[in-house]
mmCIF file of all heavy atoms in Angstrom:
data_model
loop_
_atom_site.group_PDB
_atom_site.id
_atom_site.type_symbol
_atom_site.label_atom_id
_atom_site.label_comp_id
_atom_site.label_asym_id
_atom_site.label_seq_id
_atom_site.Cartn_x
_atom_site.Cartn_y
_atom_site.Cartn_z
ATOM 1 N N ILE A 673 -77.868 63.646 4.232
ATOM 2 C CA ILE A 673 -78.399 62.347 4.708
ATOM 3 C C ILE A 673 -79.327 62.503 5.913
ATOM 4 O O ILE A 673 -80.439 61.952 5.995
ATOM 5 C CB ILE A 673 -77.271 61.344 4.981
ATOM 6 C CG1 ILE A 673 -76.517 61.017 3.758
ATOM 7 C CG2 ILE A 673 -77.795 60.057 5.679
ATOM 8 C CD1 ILE A 673 -75.229 60.243 3.989
ATOM 9 N N LEU A 674 -78.888 63.293 6.896
ATOM 10 C CA LEU A 674 -79.657 63.553 8.076
ATOM 11 C C LEU A 674 -80.947 64.277 7.746
ATOM 12 O O LEU A 674 -82.012 64.071 8.404
ATOM 13 C CB LEU A 674 -78.839 64.298 9.104
ATOM 14 C CG LEU A 674 -77.694 63.536 9.758
ATOM 15 C CD1 LEU A 674 -76.817 64.495 10.618
ATOM 16 C CD2 LEU A 674 -78.163 62.405 10.634
ATOM 17 N N ALA A 675 -80.893 65.180 6.778
ATOM 18 C CA ALA A 675 -82.093 66.045 6.507
ATOM 19 C C ALA A 675 -83.084 65.341 5.587
ATOM 20 O O ALA A 675 -84.280 65.552 5.758
ATOM 21 C CB ALA A 675 -81.592 67.320 5.816
ATOM 22 N N TYR A 676 -82.602 64.561 4.622
ATOM 23 C CA TYR A 676 -83.502 64.050 3.596
ATOM 24 C C TYR A 676 -83.681 62.499 3.611
ATOM 25 O O TYR A 676 -84.331 61.940 2.718
ATOM 26 C CB TYR A 676 -83.092 64.540 2.244
ATOM 27 C CG TYR A 676 -83.106 66.019 2.089
ATOM 28 C CD1 TYR A 676 -81.917 66.744 2.141
ATOM 29 C CD2 TYR A 676 -84.294 66.623 1.907
ATOM 30 C CE1 TYR A 676 -81.967 68.145 2.032
ATOM 31 C CE2 TYR A 676 -84.356 68.073 1.801
ATOM 32 C CZ TYR A 676 -83.205 68.790 1.861
ATOM 33 O OH TYR A 676 -83.174 70.176 1.746
ATOM 34 N N GLY A 677 -83.008 61.805 4.521
ATOM 35 C CA GLY A 677 -83.213 60.384 4.662
ATOM 36 C C GLY A 677 -82.719 59.606 3.428
ATOM 37 O O GLY A 677 -81.626 59.843 2.964
ATOM 38 N N SER A 678 -83.610 58.747 2.946
ATOM 39 C CA SER A 678 -83.226 57.851 1.806
ATOM 40 C C SER A 678 -82.907 58.664 0.528
ATOM 41 O O SER A 678 -81.978 58.279 -0.176
ATOM 42 C CB SER A 678 -84.297 56.834 1.520
ATOM 43 O OG SER A 678 -84.476 55.952 2.601
ATOM 44 N N PHE A 679 -83.664 59.719 0.355
ATOM 45 C CA PHE A 679 -83.416 60.566 -0.823
ATOM 46 C C PHE A 679 -82.075 61.220 -0.662
ATOM 47 O O PHE A 679 -81.290 61.463 -1.664
ATOM 48 C CB PHE A 679 -84.437 61.634 -1.010
ATOM 49 C CG PHE A 679 -84.247 62.510 -2.187
ATOM 50 C CD1 PHE A 679 -84.407 62.015 -3.461
ATOM 51 C CD2 PHE A 679 -83.900 63.819 -2.042
ATOM 52 C CE1 PHE A 679 -84.197 62.856 -4.576
ATOM 53 C CE2 PHE A 679 -83.670 64.641 -3.075
ATOM 54 C CZ PHE A 679 -83.830 64.177 -4.412
ATOM 55 N N GLY A 680 -81.688 61.583 0.571
ATOM 56 C CA GLY A 680 -80.376 62.152 0.824
ATOM 57 C C GLY A 680 -79.284 61.205 0.603
ATOM 58 O O GLY A 680 -78.193 61.541 0.046
ATOM 59 N N LEU A 681 -79.479 59.897 0.912
ATOM 60 C CA LEU A 681 -78.535 58.846 0.563
ATOM 61 C C LEU A 681 -78.357 58.735 -0.945
ATOM 62 O O LEU A 681 -77.218 58.592 -1.406
ATOM 63 C CB LEU A 681 -78.992 57.488 1.111
ATOM 64 C CG LEU A 681 -78.839 57.260 2.578
ATOM 65 C CD1 LEU A 681 -79.438 55.905 2.975
ATOM 66 C CD2 LEU A 681 -77.391 57.275 3.022
ATOM 67 N N PHE A 682 -79.414 58.840 -1.674
ATOM 68 C CA PHE A 682 -79.346 58.754 -3.137
ATOM 69 C C PHE A 682 -78.563 59.942 -3.670
ATOM 70 O O PHE A 682 -77.629 59.711 -4.529
ATOM 71 C CB PHE A 682 -80.766 58.821 -3.727
ATOM 72 C CG PHE A 682 -80.858 58.919 -5.240
ATOM 73 C CD1 PHE A 682 -80.517 57.812 -6.018
ATOM 74 C CD2 PHE A 682 -81.211 60.122 -5.845
ATOM 75 C CE1 PHE A 682 -80.573 57.967 -7.408
ATOM 76 C CE2 PHE A 682 -81.328 60.223 -7.221
ATOM 77 C CZ PHE A 682 -80.998 59.102 -8.007
ATOM 78 N N ILE A 683 -78.775 61.140 -3.246
ATOM 79 C CA ILE A 683 -77.971 62.314 -3.699
ATOM 80 C C ILE A 683 -76.548 62.219 -3.321
ATOM 81 O O ILE A 683 -75.642 62.520 -4.045
ATOM 82 C CB ILE A 683 -78.643 63.629 -3.181
ATOM 83 C CG1 ILE A 683 -80.070 63.810 -3.728
ATOM 84 C CG2 ILE A 683 -77.774 64.799 -3.554
ATOM 85 C CD1 ILE A 683 -80.127 63.853 -5.173
ATOM 86 N N ALA A 684 -76.368 61.793 -2.014
ATOM 87 C CA ALA A 684 -74.957 61.652 -1.538
ATOM 88 C C ALA A 684 -74.139 60.613 -2.287
ATOM 89 O O ALA A 684 -72.967 60.776 -2.503
ATOM 90 C CB ALA A 684 -74.972 61.330 -0.047
ATOM 91 N N ALA A 685 -74.850 59.509 -2.680
ATOM 92 C CA ALA A 685 -74.183 58.432 -3.426
ATOM 93 C C ALA A 685 -73.712 58.922 -4.811
ATOM 94 O O ALA A 685 -72.647 58.625 -5.320
ATOM 95 C CB ALA A 685 -75.098 57.203 -3.529
ATOM 96 N N ILE A 686 -74.609 59.729 -5.487
ATOM 97 C CA ILE A 686 -74.228 60.270 -6.782
ATOM 98 C C ILE A 686 -73.054 61.165 -6.612
ATOM 99 O O ILE A 686 -72.058 61.144 -7.374
ATOM 100 C CB ILE A 686 -75.450 61.047 -7.342
ATOM 101 C CG1 ILE A 686 -76.611 60.127 -7.636
ATOM 102 C CG2 ILE A 686 -75.012 61.834 -8.567
ATOM 103 C CD1 ILE A 686 -77.829 60.842 -8.140
ATOM 104 N N THR A 687 -73.067 62.044 -5.582
ATOM 105 C CA THR A 687 -71.956 62.984 -5.355
ATOM 106 C C THR A 687 -70.659 62.212 -5.092
ATOM 107 O O THR A 687 -69.604 62.593 -5.579
ATOM 108 C CB THR A 687 -72.306 63.895 -4.201
ATOM 109 O OG1 THR A 687 -73.622 64.533 -4.429
ATOM 110 C CG2 THR A 687 -71.231 64.952 -3.983
ATOM 111 N N GLU A 688 -70.767 61.185 -4.231
ATOM 112 C CA GLU A 688 -69.586 60.396 -3.882
ATOM 113 C C GLU A 688 -68.933 59.772 -5.155
ATOM 114 O O GLU A 688 -67.745 59.708 -5.300
ATOM 115 C CB GLU A 688 -69.961 59.327 -2.901
ATOM 116 C CG GLU A 688 -68.828 58.346 -2.495
ATOM 117 C CD GLU A 688 -69.318 57.260 -1.654
ATOM 118 O OE1 GLU A 688 -69.394 57.370 -0.440
ATOM 119 O OE2 GLU A 688 -69.686 56.187 -2.259
ATOM 120 N N GLU A 689 -69.792 59.288 -6.041
ATOM 121 C CA GLU A 689 -69.288 58.613 -7.281
ATOM 122 C C GLU A 689 -68.672 59.646 -8.201
ATOM 123 O O GLU A 689 -67.716 59.294 -8.955
ATOM 124 C CB GLU A 689 -70.400 57.912 -7.972
ATOM 125 C CG GLU A 689 -69.995 56.922 -8.994
ATOM 126 C CD GLU A 689 -69.440 55.631 -8.414
ATOM 127 O OE1 GLU A 689 -69.490 55.506 -7.173
ATOM 128 O OE2 GLU A 689 -68.947 54.779 -9.202
ATOM 129 N N LEU A 690 -69.175 60.881 -8.189
ATOM 130 C CA LEU A 690 -68.617 61.892 -9.140
ATOM 131 C C LEU A 690 -67.374 62.553 -8.661
ATOM 132 O O LEU A 690 -66.488 62.908 -9.422
ATOM 133 C CB LEU A 690 -69.729 63.005 -9.361
ATOM 134 C CG LEU A 690 -70.983 62.572 -10.074
ATOM 135 C CD1 LEU A 690 -71.956 63.744 -10.091
ATOM 136 C CD2 LEU A 690 -70.628 62.137 -11.490
ATOM 137 N N ILE A 691 -67.184 62.648 -7.343
ATOM 138 C CA ILE A 691 -66.050 63.385 -6.771
ATOM 139 C C ILE A 691 -65.017 62.284 -6.274
ATOM 140 O O ILE A 691 -65.283 61.688 -5.177
ATOM 141 C CB ILE A 691 -66.449 64.287 -5.611
ATOM 142 C CG1 ILE A 691 -67.486 65.349 -6.146
ATOM 143 C CG2 ILE A 691 -65.230 65.015 -5.022
ATOM 144 C CD1 ILE A 691 -68.038 66.276 -5.095
ATOM 145 N N ALA A 692 -63.915 62.101 -6.953
ATOM 146 C CA ALA A 692 -63.004 61.062 -6.670
ATOM 147 C C ALA A 692 -62.412 61.039 -5.273
ATOM 148 O O ALA A 692 -62.250 59.991 -4.706
ATOM 149 C CB ALA A 692 -61.909 61.056 -7.728
ATOM 150 N N PRO A 693 -62.013 62.216 -4.674
ATOM 151 C CA PRO A 693 -61.366 62.140 -3.400
ATOM 152 C C PRO A 693 -62.206 61.696 -2.204
ATOM 153 O O PRO A 693 -61.702 61.318 -1.195
ATOM 154 C CB PRO A 693 -60.916 63.632 -3.190
ATOM 155 C CG PRO A 693 -60.924 64.216 -4.489
ATOM 156 C CD PRO A 693 -62.011 63.535 -5.268
ATOM 157 N N ILE A 694 -63.532 61.613 -2.377
ATOM 158 C CA ILE A 694 -64.369 61.196 -1.302
ATOM 159 C C ILE A 694 -64.223 59.673 -1.077
ATOM 160 O O ILE A 694 -64.337 58.969 -2.094
ATOM 161 C CB ILE A 694 -65.846 61.576 -1.541
ATOM 162 C CG1 ILE A 694 -66.053 63.054 -1.696
ATOM 163 C CG2 ILE A 694 -66.769 61.053 -0.418
ATOM 164 C CD1 ILE A 694 -67.447 63.466 -2.019
ATOM 165 N N PRO A 695 -64.000 59.222 0.104
ATOM 166 C CA PRO A 695 -63.894 57.748 0.352
ATOM 167 C C PRO A 695 -65.133 57.047 -0.164
ATOM 168 O O PRO A 695 -66.249 57.418 0.153
ATOM 169 C CB PRO A 695 -63.836 57.645 1.861
ATOM 170 C CG PRO A 695 -63.291 58.999 2.302
ATOM 171 C CD PRO A 695 -63.823 59.989 1.391
ATOM 172 N N SER A 696 -64.971 55.991 -0.992
ATOM 173 C CA SER A 696 -66.094 55.367 -1.689
ATOM 174 C C SER A 696 -67.004 54.617 -0.746
ATOM 175 O O SER A 696 -68.146 54.280 -1.104
ATOM 176 C CB SER A 696 -65.517 54.418 -2.730
ATOM 177 O OG SER A 696 -64.770 53.381 -2.138
ATOM 178 N N SER A 697 -66.552 54.389 0.495
ATOM 179 C CA SER A 697 -67.430 53.650 1.410
ATOM 180 C C SER A 697 -68.143 54.589 2.408
ATOM 181 O O SER A 697 -68.945 54.134 3.250
ATOM 182 C CB SER A 697 -66.608 52.601 2.235
ATOM 183 O OG SER A 697 -65.550 53.305 2.970
ATOM 184 N N PHE A 698 -67.875 55.870 2.299
ATOM 185 C CA PHE A 698 -68.345 56.801 3.321
ATOM 186 C C PHE A 698 -69.864 56.840 3.437
ATOM 187 O O PHE A 698 -70.445 56.750 4.497
ATOM 188 C CB PHE A 698 -67.786 58.210 3.046
ATOM 189 C CG PHE A 698 -68.407 59.288 3.936
ATOM 190 C CD1 PHE A 698 -68.046 59.384 5.268
ATOM 191 C CD2 PHE A 698 -69.383 60.124 3.447
ATOM 192 C CE1 PHE A 698 -68.614 60.307 6.098
ATOM 193 C CE2 PHE A 698 -69.958 61.068 4.241
ATOM 194 C CZ PHE A 698 -69.582 61.192 5.580
ATOM 195 N N VAL A 699 -70.583 57.049 2.279
ATOM 196 C CA VAL A 699 -72.032 57.176 2.287
ATOM 197 C C VAL A 699 -72.671 55.952 2.849
ATOM 198 O O VAL A 699 -73.619 56.000 3.594
ATOM 199 C CB VAL A 699 -72.507 57.534 0.870
ATOM 200 C CG1 VAL A 699 -74.026 57.475 0.836
ATOM 201 C CG2 VAL A 699 -72.045 58.936 0.481
ATOM 202 N N ILE A 700 -72.136 54.787 2.360
ATOM 203 C CA ILE A 700 -72.800 53.483 2.855
ATOM 204 C C ILE A 700 -72.618 53.320 4.349
ATOM 205 O O ILE A 700 -73.589 53.005 5.025
ATOM 206 C CB ILE A 700 -72.129 52.274 2.114
ATOM 207 C CG1 ILE A 700 -72.234 52.490 0.613
ATOM 208 C CG2 ILE A 700 -72.789 51.036 2.528
ATOM 209 C CD1 ILE A 700 -71.487 51.407 -0.162
ATOM 210 N N LEU A 701 -71.453 53.522 4.864
ATOM 211 C CA LEU A 701 -71.227 53.411 6.308
ATOM 212 C C LEU A 701 -72.041 54.395 7.122
ATOM 213 O O LEU A 701 -72.627 54.105 8.147
ATOM 214 C CB LEU A 701 -69.743 53.589 6.636
ATOM 215 C CG LEU A 701 -68.805 52.513 6.162
ATOM 216 C CD1 LEU A 701 -67.297 52.883 6.217
ATOM 217 C CD2 LEU A 701 -69.026 51.185 6.882
ATOM 218 N N THR A 702 -72.138 55.629 6.556
ATOM 219 C CA THR A 702 -72.968 56.672 7.199
ATOM 220 C C THR A 702 -74.405 56.248 7.263
ATOM 221 O O THR A 702 -75.115 56.368 8.212
ATOM 222 C CB THR A 702 -72.812 58.038 6.531
ATOM 223 O OG1 THR A 702 -71.435 58.357 6.492
ATOM 224 C CG2 THR A 702 -73.588 59.112 7.211
ATOM 225 N N GLY A 703 -74.908 55.730 6.060
ATOM 226 C CA GLY A 703 -76.332 55.328 6.023
ATOM 227 C C GLY A 703 -76.624 54.231 7.048
ATOM 228 O O GLY A 703 -77.653 54.275 7.696
ATOM 229 N N GLY A 704 -75.759 53.248 7.191
ATOM 230 C CA GLY A 704 -75.967 52.173 8.117
ATOM 231 C C GLY A 704 -76.016 52.663 9.549
ATOM 232 O O GLY A 704 -76.862 52.205 10.366
#
């Protein structure tokens, strides 16, 4: 997210959705 900005958010969101143990709100809170 820090390195790629909005595109990083897009990639991180896909990863978050695929990997169940990651908190589902993490990427959104981090982006904000």
Side-chain angles (χ1 to χ4, degrees):
I673 294 171
L674 290 172
Y676 298 103
S678 293
F679 181 70
L681 282 175
F682 173 72
I683 297 300
I686 294 176
T687 305
E688 178 187 271
E689 196 75 5
L690 292 175
I691 303 177
I694 300 177
S696 63
S697 59
F698 172 75
V699 171
I700 305 176
L701 292 169
T702 303

